[in-house]
Amino acid sequence: MPTTARARDTAAAQVFRGVTEAAIEAAARAQGIALDAAQRAAVPRMLRPARRHVYLHGPAGRGKTWLMDAAFAAAPTARKRRIHFHDFFPELHAAIFRHRHDLNAALDELLRSPDGDGHVELLCFDEFHVHDVADGVLIRRLLAALAARPVAMAVTSNYAPEQLLRHPLFHATFEPAIAEIRDRFDVIVVDGPRDHRAHASHDRGFAAGAWVTGAAPGRSGDGVVLRVAERDVTARALSEHELHATFDDLCSEPLSAREYAALARLRSQWLITAVPPLESLAAAPAQRLANLVDVAADRGVRVEFHAAGEPTALADAPHPPLDLARTLSRLGSLRRVVAS
């Protein structure tokens, strides 16, 4: 990196300017959370990094997202945006198309601050990942474009930078981007021994849902067609508070994270019935289930799954989804119920 760029990054190193360790501890106490040793060690490095950006990585359920979200909430600026990576990429592709493949024009649109006056100073990505070579090419361009802008980034990931785009045929093409991440981000490991989702309270959000094994509920329907994200999606029913769909409605059809996010905006409580034995799933439905779980967890959707078997059986599918550990961690946070 040129000296001038290094100096600029150092000058902008306060990713979470104005956030104190005391504010993070207070947020934890307010939610009844006891930070483990790995989280406590990460806090000062996250708040006072040597570089402009921070990259938190570690196994699923270790509290990376919670740390980032607590700091994001406490950051004393309105010019900030927090987004799940599943949501950002469809937005980015659509904006690039609108601006005739001009990445900088697309970023001008996406990074405009909520008040409409200027651009965001703080950008937080949850669950950063690179599995696809085409996405890898775009992410390389994205990192270079963001480096030229006065924006600080915080990223959470289940992968160390060197583990991104692990496919042996394509990994070398992403190594320049990995070098950029190592150069521009403080890379912080959060790898405590405990999966906190396994001990989550069940009073709010995704963890308030349930995984029910046994008899299916009595409600059914012929189907209702919902128009979401410019696509027709069939569900069993839509009540005032709840969306009812079968597994086939949501995971056997070619839906993406974009459609799941639109459904999350439509209703914050879902009933998903007729979930087959997960060890029997083909690759595409298994991956859609993982994407659905990611979106529902990020959006705080309360989901009640009615299933033929256990969620852990997903690991025995012929082609388990990418980010399997994260999916199992999130499904493990649900209440377990055996229908009588």
Side-chain angles (χ1 to χ4, degrees):
M1 187 193 309
T3 303
T4 53
R6 172 75 71 188
R8 182 184 63 214
D9 280 5
T10 301
Q14 295 78 22
V15 182
F16 294 111
R17 288 191 296 271
V19 182
T20 65
E21 293 179 47
I24 303 299
E25 292 283 358
R29 286 195 302 273
Q31 296 181 34
I33 293 172
L35 300 182
D36 63 28
Q39 290 173 300
R40 289 182 183 279
V43 169
R45 292 192 60 198
M46 179 179 71
L47 300 183
R48 295 185 295 277
R51 295 173 175 81
R52 194 203 305 195
H53 315 300
V54 295
Y55 184 109
L56 303 173
H57 75 91
R62 267 54 181 185
K64 304 177 296 295
T65 295
W66 187 91
L67 287 175
M68 184 184 74
D69 285 350
F72 178 85
T77 177
R79 295 185 174 185
K80 57 185 176 180
R81 186 178 185 197
R82 186 268 194 207
I83 189 168
H84 194 282
F85 210 58
H86 267 312
D87 291 336
F88 180 75
F89 244 60
E91 285 190 30
L92 181 61
H93 281 290
I96 289 173
F97 180 79
R98 283 194 299 273
H99 293 281
R100 300 182 179 182
H101 306 288
D102 186 333
L103 176 60
N104 278 305
L107 289 176
D108 285 341
E109 175 188 332
L110 296 181
L111 300 184
R112 186 159 298 280
S113 62
D115 59 13
D117 183 18
H119 293 90
V120 296
E121 303 169 328
L122 173 61
L123 181 62
C124 292
F125 285 126
D126 192 30
E127 306 294 4
F128 182 82
H129 59 272
V130 188
H131 298 310
D132 179 82
V133 65
D135 287 347
V137 171
L138 180 54
I139 287 170
R140 285 180 59 184
R141 294 179 57 211
L142 175 66
L143 291 173
L146 290 173
R149 294 169 177 262
V151 58
M153 286 186 287
V155 168
T156 73
S157 181
N158 292 136
Y159 303 94
E162 289 74 18
Q163 295 174 323
L164 297 169
L165 193 58
R166 291 188 290 183
H167 195 295
L169 293 179
F170 306 120
H171 182 77
T173 66
F174 198 68
E175 287 178 346
I178 292 170
E180 283 287 309
I181 292 170
R182 283 288 179 184
D183 204 29
R184 295 186 183 277
F185 287 72
D186 266 24
V187 178
I188 304 168
V189 181
V190 184
D191 60 352
R194 182 183 189 190
D195 182 344
H196 295 285
R197 292 192 186 109
H199 306 278
S201 65
H202 299 293
D203 58 349
R204 62 182 183 275
F206 184 76
W211 186 275
V212 182
T213 56
R219 282 181 290 173
S220 63
D222 294 329
V224 55
V225 177
L226 308 172
R227 187 68 176 173
V228 296
E230 302 177 3
R231 183 184 181 90
D232 288 338
V233 177
T234 301
R236 298 303 95 197
L238 184 70
S239 70
E240 181 180 357
H241 301 291
E242 183 181 74
L243 166 71
H244 175 198
T246 65
F247 179 90
D248 281 346
D249 291 332
L250 299 185
C251 297
S252 294
E253 297 298 320
L255 304 184
S256 69
R258 185 183 182 202
E259 284 79 42
Y260 299 140
L263 291 172
R265 291 190 292 271
L266 188 66
R267 293 292 184 273
S268 61
Q269 187 168 316
W270 297 355
L271 172 66
I272 301 178
T273 55
V275 179
L278 300 188
E279 66 271 21
S280 70
L281 294 183
Q287 189 60 55
R288 291 187 196 112
L289 174 61
N291 294 344
L292 180 153
V293 169
D294 266 351
V295 171
D298 185 67
R299 299 301 180 92
V301 178
R302 178 178 176 175
V303 186
E304 184 176 300
F305 295 91
H306 284 249
E310 301 297 327
T312 52
L314 186 60
D316 298 321
H319 301 283
L322 300 167
D323 305 311
L324 172 67
R326 184 170 73 236
T327 303
L328 292 179
S329 173
R330 284 177 162 160
L331 290 175
S333 73
L334 299 174
R335 291 180 296 111
R336 300 293 298 283
V337 179
V338 177
S340 56

